[in-house]
Amino acid sequence: MARTTVIGACPHDCPDTCSILTTVEDGKAIAVRGNPDHPFTRGRLCVKVNNYEERVYSDKRILHPLKRVGPKGSRQFQRISWDEAIETIASRWKSVIAEHGAQAILPYSYLGTQGIINGLNVGDPLFNKLGATVLERTFCDSASCTAYMMTIGHTPGVDPESFVHSKYIILWACNTLSTNSHHWPFIEQAKKAGAKLVVIDPVKTRTARLADWHIPIRPGTDAALALAMIHVIIKENLVDRDYVDKHTVGYDELAERVSSYTPEFASQETGIPVDDIVRLAREFATTPPAVVRIGVAVERHAGGGQTVRAIACLPGLIGAWKHVGGGLLQLPIWAFPVRWDVLMRPDLQPEKMRVLNSWRLGAALTGELGFDPPIKALFVYNANPMAMVTEQGKLEKGLEREDLFTVVSEHFLTDTAKYADIVLPATTQLEQKDIMFSWGHLYLSYNNQAIEPLGEAVPNTELFRRLARAMGITDPAFFRTDDEMIEGSLDWSNPVLEGITLDDVKAKGYARLNMPAPGDWAPHREGNFPTASGKCEFKSTIAGGGNFVVPLFRQGYNGDQDGTAVDPLPHYIPPNENARTAPALATRYPLSLISPKSHAFLNSNYGNLPAQIAQAGEEQAVLLNPHDAAQRGIVAGAPIRVFNDRGSFEAFATVSSDIMPGVVVAPSGYWQRSNRKGATVHALTPPAFADLGRAPTFSDILVQVSGTQVSGA
């Protein structure tokens, strides 16, 4: 038997971007494992992908183009050829453009794969060339990125590997063991060397259980805590005045702003005792090197952007950036010299484009947004909106429209794909090549194709080559090979790639960016922040431009931005939905719902696969505090209904003091079940946006929970 090992990289929207070794025997992938030589992967894969070959060879895979032959949503399809599929799509698009204009076409995508050439931006050139509606993709880190850039610029921040040198580590809204697990060994090493680990989270997560101090906090009140910490640090003269004077702007204005954000105020908002708030501020300010790792969840409420603004001020205030292992970690992606303009081709856009935020797909398809022309053609790839988007009832009605031509490129017949007119087979990571950045470490990774595509599956790159050709586009840039696209996707002249060649990365599978070693690098010891002032901006110099979404999240388009006024100083914006801000609503729906990432799913990826379902639980579970459960006569394992005015879903109760009273947790990623009423957890999520970056408010929800006889049980 011919057995080989192929070096690749995990495709998923996860910070870790693991280096993967695939064992191939006679052309078939028989096993995957983590690359033991990779300094971050260290030979281990998470439960999501440690049996990735089972995803590839699942008998549920879509391997040929399909055409709908029954009612929308009926899952009735028949096999057709690629030629017929592409001809049908091109014919319908041309008809839509002729009758309604190109804006009646909507691409819909996200990060079903995070590869540079097959991921977020692979379809942008085609849809920009056509002049289709721009999709604003702000699911993850958009408010955070806007706030981060306003405060410290697009810096990679603290090297994740430098955490071994940290002495005080705050994981803020970050369940590292479930969502960033390969960072844990560096944190653990720091703990063994005497570092204190603090976790701020409403839930005692797997990570919080291993912390030295878990601080439960009411959802959406994090900015109150951060501002109170600043208040204490300033009041008690714990500020590093030398660093502040040399490398920050706006200190006096910040000091005045936080004067009213006392620990007593923050305690009322957050539910954290006053003494704990004071203690946290003192310890953080006096235990160098101190570092904060923020998770995606920190932005998912009404004041998410200003929360990140406040947290991002903390390291500058105490001079944490002076030390190796001190500062803030958000997204190391900023270190990678990706040529986004080449990937997105904003130069092809007409002067005026129409923009739709991905969060409002249901409202757009039902006509609620008043689009003229209306959306007449929808093209979905790298995404499963029916499982992950709000207003699911509206979305279902929109997808059922007979006058909406829907195409979905997928691995499986998802909750979204079942409504498609045409379904196209997409390759998995083992069947395609790509090059990967990371938003959790500083290694460039290469994904070598391990096996030939199954059936007639094609990578996104080839899919869009075929579509461009069918639409009559002749520009050679649309027909570059994958190798040419990979070569052109990065600025190889950038100093961080000095001494690194594509051939080297391809052969080894990875290369650390040419940056100082983790034991030497304090990125802002001398300031040098990538902001307009070159300093940490407590008072933002770009806030005057108004609210904006980073163009990366909107196909490179920078027009039609929100533009609403933004306070240049961080401040507290309370949740839209809690007992203090919406008391009348809270009388009907008294519980705050959060929907964190599942330990076994990656968004809706793996929500249909046996091994991951077995790990996560066969059915959606909802975690309640014993007090809340007893009030409702609910016992562990009981069927329950979770609901508000927007929708409902059914689940089973898990009762534990791991969740603070007044909060319930429903991990996301489960698909709809044919024998269950209701939808997924996001049917209850409001369509509102956070204050910055038009980020969805996933964790700003009031609900009620009641016992029920689960349908189909």
Side-chain angles (χ1 to χ4, degrees):
M1 293 183 182
R3 177 175 288 194
T4 58
T5 299
V6 181
I7 302 176
C10 181
H12 289 308
D13 179 20
C14 162
D16 296 7
T17 315
C18 290
S19 181
I20 294 179
L21 302 181
T22 301
T23 302
V24 180
E25 192 173 272
D26 292 336
K28 181 176 180 179
I30 60 172
V32 298
R33 67 186 189 278
N35 186 346
D37 297 327
H38 191 283
F40 210 78
T41 303
R42 298 186 175 188
R44 183 181 61 82
L45 298 178
C46 72
V47 67
K48 302 171 182 70
V49 296
N50 61 11
N51 64 336
Y52 191 80
E53 74 280 3
E54 293 182 18
R55 179 183 182 92
V56 176
Y57 295 107
S58 169
D59 60 5
K60 300 291 193 282
R61 274 281 303 274
I62 297 169
L63 297 178
H64 307 280
L66 304 173
K67 177 177 69 175
R68 178 173 62 88
V69 294
K72 290 196 172 188
S74 67
R75 299 179 181 269
Q76 297 177 38
F77 295 92
Q78 71 177 23
R79 178 177 171 179
I80 58 174
S81 68
W82 263 105
D83 286 345
E84 181 180 349
I86 293 295
E87 181 180 352
T88 301
I89 296 167
S91 175
R92 291 294 296 270
W93 283 4
K94 290 174 182 177
S95 176
V96 166
I97 292 170
E99 184 175 354
H100 303 282
Q103 289 186 337
I105 299 174
L106 174 69
Y108 194 97
S109 66
Y110 198 57
L111 283 167
T113 172
Q114 195 174 261
I116 292 177
I117 69 166
N118 279 296
L120 187 69
N121 307 110
V122 60
D124 291 356
L126 175 62
F127 293 110
N128 284 340
K129 175 74 171 178
L130 295 178
T133 293
V134 168
L135 184 72
E136 189 175 63
R137 314 170 181 112
T138 60
F139 280 114
C140 175
D141 269 316
S142 181
S144 179
C145 286
T146 299
Y148 190 81
M149 291 179 69
M150 285 182 172
T151 315
I152 56 177
H154 53 281
T155 169
V158 179
D159 184 337
E161 295 179 67
S162 295
F163 274 57
V164 298
H165 301 286
S166 305
K167 291 302 180 185
Y168 202 85
I169 301 171
I170 298 178
L171 300 179
W172 205 317
C174 185
N175 181 11
T176 302
L177 283 172
S178 290
T179 62
N180 188 190
S181 62
H182 292 81
H183 192 211
W184 180 254
F186 300 94
I187 296 171
E188 191 172 43
Q189 184 176 339
K191 277 174 56 64
K192 289 178 180 177
K196 183 167 185 175
L197 176 63
V198 180
V199 172
I200 302 172
D201 198 301
V203 190
K204 184 173 278 189
T205 61
R206 294 168 186 258
T207 307
R209 293 189 195 110
L210 298 181
D212 298 294
W213 187 13
H214 169 225
I215 303 176
I217 185 170
R218 291 183 185 129
T221 64
D222 305 80
L225 173 59
L227 291 163
M229 289 175 66
I230 295 173
H231 174 100
V232 172
I233 290 168
I234 292 174
K235 182 180 179 181
E236 299 192 1
N237 296 317
L238 302 176
V239 175
D240 184 329
R241 287 307 305 247
D242 181 65
Y243 192 87
V244 165
D245 291 343
K246 290 179 180 177
H247 305 304
T248 75
V249 294
Y251 172 77
D252 290 339
E253 293 94 331
L254 178 67
E256 182 179 356
R257 171 59 57 87
V258 302
S259 61
S260 62
Y261 289 116
T262 63
E264 290 75 17
F265 167 83
S267 179
Q268 291 178 350
E269 294 292 321
T270 64
I272 302 170
V274 170
D275 289 348
D276 285 353
I277 294 172
V278 173
R279 174 185 162 201
L280 176 65
R282 288 173 178 166
E283 289 183 355
F284 178 73
T286 59
T287 318
V291 66
V292 181
R293 172 43 154 154
I294 55 172
V296 173
V298 78
E299 71 169 10
R300 294 182 162 177
H301 51 85
Q306 289 296 342
T307 296
V308 175
R309 286 273 290 120
I311 294 172
C313 290
L314 281 164
L317 197 67
I318 64 169
W321 292 109
K322 295 191 304 186
H323 309 286
V324 175
L328 176 68
L329 174 60
Q330 184 229 23
L331 298 176
I333 184 178
W334 305 113
F336 292 82
V338 180
R339 298 179 64 192
W340 299 111
D341 59 329
V342 172
L343 295 171
M344 297 184 289
R345 293 299 304 275
D347 58 299
L348 298 174
Q349 296 168 344
E351 184 176 345
K352 177 65 176 175
M353 303 282 280
R354 182 170 72 181
V355 178
L356 171 69
N357 190 280
S358 54
W359 194 230
R360 299 306 312 277
L361 180 61
L365 295 184
T366 54
E368 181 181 319
L369 300 184
F371 276 1
D372 183 18
I375 303 299
K376 290 290 186 177
L378 175 68
F379 191 89
V380 181
Y381 63 101
N382 288 352
N384 181 16
M386 266 306 298
M388 300 302 297
V389 174
T390 186
E391 301 178 302
Q392 288 179 359
K394 294 177 184 177
L395 181 52
E396 184 174 27
K397 289 179 181 177
L399 291 173
E400 288 175 341
R401 281 173 39 202
E402 284 297 329
D403 68 328
L404 177 70
F405 176 64
T406 302
V407 181
V408 178
S409 174
E410 256 297 353
H411 297 153
F412 302 100
L413 199 63
T414 62
D415 292 339
T416 305
K418 70 181 183 181
Y419 292 99
D421 296 286
I422 300 289
V423 181
L424 303 174
T427 47
T428 64
Q429 188 77 335
L430 301 192
E431 303 160 277
Q432 62 194 22
K433 61 179 66 174
D434 215 324
I435 193 163
M436 322 286 293
F437 58 75
S438 173
W439 57 278
H441 57 64
L442 295 172
Y443 294 86
L444 183 68
S445 302
Y446 192 94
N447 185 70
N448 289 280
Q449 182 178 333
I451 59 174
E452 290 300 311
L454 274 61
E456 296 180 282
V458 301
N460 289 334
T461 50
E462 173 60 19
L463 168 60
F464 284 103
R465 284 191 285 264
R466 295 182 183 186
L467 288 169
R469 187 174 294 111
M471 292 302 290
I473 295 172
T474 59
D475 183 345
F478 283 84
F479 305 103
R480 293 177 300 158
T481 65
D482 287 1
D483 288 333
E484 290 171 333
M485 294 176 71
I486 289 171
E487 177 74 37
S489 67
L490 293 161
D491 177 7
W492 294 94
S493 68
N494 190 290
V496 301
L497 292 180
E498 184 178 351
I500 299 172
T501 69
L502 180 56
D503 286 342
D504 290 340
V505 182
K506 187 174 181 179
K508 189 177 181 181
Y510 65 92
R512 181 180 165 88
L513 297 180
N514 184 30
M515 303 178 81
D520 301 325
W521 194 35
H524 302 298
R525 178 180 284 125
E526 302 298 331
N528 301 315
F529 291 93
T531 58
S533 65
K535 299 181 177 184
C536 171
E537 298 190 351
F538 300 144
K539 182 178 181 180
S540 173
T541 59
I542 65 172
N547 189 14
F548 66 93
V549 173
V550 177
L552 169 62
F553 297 143
R554 54 203 326 259
Q555 300 175 208
Y557 186 57
N558 203 30
D560 195 25
Q561 288 276 17
D562 184 305
T564 54
V566 174
D567 190 326
L569 289 165
H571 58 286
Y572 175 54
I573 299 173
N576 290 326
E577 298 188 11
N578 72 9
R580 296 175 65 82
T581 57
L585 185 66
T587 59
R588 291 187 294 141
Y589 306 115
L591 301 172
S592 293
L593 171 68
I594 58 176
S595 53
K597 306 283 178 134
S598 166
H599 186 74
F601 306 149
L602 198 291
N603 297 326
S604 68
N605 274 296
Y606 304 98
N608 66 320
L609 295 181
Q612 284 74 19
I613 291 174
Q615 171 72 29
E618 291 291 331
E619 297 287 351
Q620 175 80 63
V622 172
L623 181 65
L624 296 94
N625 182 273
H627 172 77
D628 296 322
Q631 276 192 330
R632 292 158 178 79
I634 294 171
V635 298
I640 58 174
R641 177 173 174 259
V642 185
F643 60 96
N644 60 20
D645 287 342
R646 291 179 286 268
S648 68
F649 67 93
E650 293 178 342
F652 290 89
T654 300
V655 180
S656 170
S657 56
D658 284 346
I659 183 66
M660 61 192 303
V663 183
V664 293
V665 182
S668 66
Y670 282 93
W671 292 18
Q672 296 177 0
R673 297 288 191 264
S674 59
N675 66 329
R676 295 283 185 261
K677 293 179 181 177
T680 75
V681 60
H682 297 301
L684 280 63
T685 309
F689 294 113
D691 56 322
L692 295 178
R694 292 170 63 81
T697 50
F698 283 102
S699 301
D700 197 337
I701 315 169
L702 283 175
V703 302
Q704 180 59 288
V705 177
S706 66
T708 185
Q709 176 62 46
V710 172
S711 55

